[in-house]
Amino acid sequence: MTTAHDHPEGIEAERALKYAVQRVPGGRAEVVEGVIGHLSYDWDHERARGALRAQLSEAVDRLDCIAGSGDLDLPGSLNWYVPDLAVVPGRVARGAGALVPGQTLLVAEVSSATSAKADRVVKRRRYAEYGAPLYLLVDRMERSVTLFAEPGSLGYTKADGPHPFGTAVRLPEPFGIDLDTGGL
């Protein structure tokens, strides 16, 4: 794992970058491998994200969780993510600022032309490194959905997919639901 300590600027660069990204005027931004990017979504992206959120809502309520796109810090690295959707236990989210991926039950990214490489490669690796138990990739360019599970320091050891849009994708416990990917 590359950490902020591997860079000449070290931890001070990490702190400065993460401080700055939280204060970007005019909207939200994230840091992917040390590069600040402004988050901007088209309507198809928003539709896919909304469809995911709606399908997860019953399980989110049953599990006493919160689903949203709050900040995820990856301490010791030059990364600060704003996932398209994360499911977090309510007791963990209450009063919290940024969380770490390992505090989530699921992280989902909906790819766009500008985010596809980061979502497919970089975030997949980093979410696993930082312990997100499930990573759901909705790849709009490939028109597919892949669920990654069993995180480790070298990445996820289990991948279910890619499944073409229209295929039901099973989210394991604690969710225990089938996602309808036809509307994504």
Side-chain angles (χ1 to χ4, degrees), residues 39-78:
L39 300 174
S40 176
Y41 306 115
D42 63 27
W43 290 109
D44 285 336
H45 183 279
E46 290 300 314
R47 181 183 44 73
R49 187 164 67 168
L52 276 178
R53 190 180 204 134
Q55 289 187 62
L56 288 169
S57 67
E58 186 178 313
V60 166
D61 290 345
R62 174 175 38 84
L63 296 168
D64 192 27
C65 288
I66 299 197
S69 58
D71 296 328
L72 294 179
D73 187 9
L74 286 70
S77 77
L78 298 178

Side-chain angles (χ1 to χ4, degrees), residues 23 33 36 38 57 84 121 163 173 175:
R23 286 152 183 82
E33 301 301 297
I36 296 176
H38 182 73
S57 67
D84 288 313
V121 179
H163 297 285
E173 295 301 332
F175 298 96

